[in-house]
């Protein structure tokens, strides 16, 4: 597996983020956005297979080697969208494409719908809209989130005596992954502490959302998209179990590829990564 990349740190006005750079400097500009509790290593198999692109694979705030948000701040999807804009500004990219997986794909949709003049193309992997919540559920959800936030200081991150145990835990986590994929994510996502290793991720990332978009909100963002969109759906992934999303896709002019594999099919093995690359190479290089 070829994983040649350059490690960089990006000093934004409000936070410092880490990223991996792939491809030639004069390649077409692409920002790669990983999923919840993952990191830039999510694209370690896929990015080297994408040709003619300058890919900036971010560690989202609170993930990987990026800084955590300031005390009192949160991790709303629109905050990630602002981070993406700031990264693009740093590279001087007025218009760019986004390669997004899961939460990264959802963030990409929100940004592309809100600021269509900035986004050229969306290449998305098993992600499109966030989990939604309707108005009648909002008071209870906010109460749940506030109580969890108050209780967070009493919680401690798990410490694993050996890195292999952390890898095994990640294999069984949200969006279960192969051992090789878990090892790649763990190599970037773990840090040494007394007694072994723990995850670098900000504990606040595991808090429940205080407010969710309604299904009407989510549809509005997807229908507002103006750029070409190519979506890879994993046959054993997380989107296939959402009938409302499937119905929405039938009503929209998106390029949809249904591929064998799980939620992390682009990372689990070389075969899956190549299948995804075969979908996205012609799409991302189209004029």
């Amino acid at each position: 597996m070829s994983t040649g990349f350059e490690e960089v740190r990006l000093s934004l006005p409000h936070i410092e983020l880490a990223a991996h750079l792939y491809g030639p400097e004069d390649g077409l500009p692409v920002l790669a956005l990983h999923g919840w509790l993952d990191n830039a290593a999510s694209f370690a198999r896929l990015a080297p297979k994408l040709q003619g692109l300058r890919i900036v694979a971010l560690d989202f705030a609170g993930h990987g080697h990026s800084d955590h948000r300031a005390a009192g701040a949160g991790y709303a999807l629109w905050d990630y969208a602002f981070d993406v804009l700031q990264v693009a500004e740093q590279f001087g990219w007025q218009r760019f494409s986004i390669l997004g997986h899961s939460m990264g794909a959802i963030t990409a949709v929100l940004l592309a719908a809100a600021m269509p003049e900035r986004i050229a193309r969306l290449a998305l992997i098993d992600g499109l809209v966030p989990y939604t919540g309707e108005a009648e559920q909002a008071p209870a959800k906010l109460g749940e989130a506030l109580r969890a936030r108050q209780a967070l200081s009493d919680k401690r991150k798990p410490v694993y005596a050996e890195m292999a145990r952390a890898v095994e835990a990640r294999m069984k986590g949200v969006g279960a992954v192969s051992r090789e994929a878990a090892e790649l994510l763990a190599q970037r996502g773990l840090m040494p502490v007394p007694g072994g290793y723990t995850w670098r991720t900000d504990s606040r990332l595991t808090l429940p959302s205080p407010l969710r978009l309604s299904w009407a909100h989510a549809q509005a963002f997807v229908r507002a998209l103006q750029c070409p969109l190519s979506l890879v759906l994993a046959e054993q992934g997380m989107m296939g179990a959402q009938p409302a999303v499937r119905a929405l896709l039938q009503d929209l002019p998106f390029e949809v590829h249904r591929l064998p594999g799980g939620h992390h099919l682009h990372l689990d093995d070389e075969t899956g990564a190549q299948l995804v690359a075969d979908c996205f190479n012609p799409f991302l290089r189209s004029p």
Side-chain angles (χ1 to χ4, degrees):
M1 177 177 59
S2 171
T3 56
F5 58 82
E6 179 186 352
E7 176 90 36
V8 295
R9 294 197 67 80
L10 307 169
S11 295
L12 309 184
H14 62 298
I15 197 169
E16 189 168 288
L17 302 182
H20 289 166
L21 301 186
Y22 293 89
E25 288 188 28
D26 61 352
L28 295 170
V30 176
L31 269 165
L33 310 179
H34 63 75
W36 181 60
L37 301 184
D38 289 343
N39 53 58
S42 178
F43 299 102
R45 289 190 192 273
L46 177 59
K49 300 180 188 302
L50 298 175
Q51 306 302 314
L53 308 176
R54 182 60 163 174
I55 298 173
V56 178
L58 285 182
D59 283 335
F60 269 135
H63 296 74
H65 288 242
S66 286
D67 285 353
H68 296 183
R69 297 212 191 276
Y75 287 93
L77 290 169
W78 33 90
D79 294 321
Y80 288 130
F82 180 71
D83 293 343
V84 171
L85 276 180
Q86 291 292 296
V87 170
E89 292 293 326
Q90 184 150 124
F91 282 91
W93 294 351
Q94 282 304 302
R95 193 163 169 81
F96 55 96
S97 295
I98 300 179
L99 168 63
H101 171 240
S102 195
M103 184 184 79
I106 295 164
T107 302
V109 168
L110 297 186
L111 177 57
M115 301 186 71
E117 71 279 5
R118 299 299 301 271
I119 309 303
R121 290 176 173 270
L122 293 180
L124 309 182
I125 305 167
D126 219 45
L128 185 70
V129 295
Y131 289 115
T132 57
E134 299 310 311
E136 61 271 17
Q137 303 160 346
K141 291 297 293 182
L142 178 57
E144 176 190 350
L146 292 173
R147 292 184 192 97
R149 188 168 176 178
Q150 278 191 312
L152 185 64
S153 59
D154 298 327
K155 293 177 69 175
R156 295 289 179 268
K157 288 184 182 180
V159 174
Y160 304 93
E162 302 168 352
M163 191 175 289
R165 294 185 182 179
V167 168
E168 289 167 4
R170 182 61 192 88
M171 288 171 66
K172 302 170 187 173
V174 177
V177 296
S178 68
R179 179 173 292 277
E180 287 187 7
E183 287 172 347
L184 284 165
L185 294 170
Q187 286 166 12
R188 187 161 183 81
L190 290 173
M191 63 181 181
V193 293
Y197 300 88
T198 194
W199 298 104
R200 295 178 181 273
T201 44
D202 191 333
S203 297
R204 289 175 290 177
L205 292 166
T206 63
L207 291 173
S209 300
L211 186 66
R212 285 182 171 173
L213 298 180
S214 68
W215 177 241
H217 279 114
Q219 286 189 84
F221 276 98
V222 175
R223 294 184 186 280
L225 294 172
Q226 297 180 24
C227 66
L229 185 151
S230 180
L231 172 65
V232 164
L233 286 180
E235 289 180 353
Q236 289 80 46
M238 297 174 71
M239 282 188 65
Q242 302 176 51
V245 175
R246 291 204 306 270
L248 178 62
L249 288 173
Q250 291 176 355
D251 193 33
L252 294 165
F254 299 155
E255 179 182 293
V256 179
H257 307 269
R258 289 171 173 82
L259 299 180
H263 186 56
H264 287 75
L265 75 166
H266 64 297
L267 181 65
D268 278 334
D269 55 48
E270 289 293 319
T271 301
Q274 188 61 58
L275 288 173
V276 175
D278 290 344
C279 295
F280 288 161
N281 262 318
F283 173 77
L284 286 169
R285 294 206 304 271
S286 297

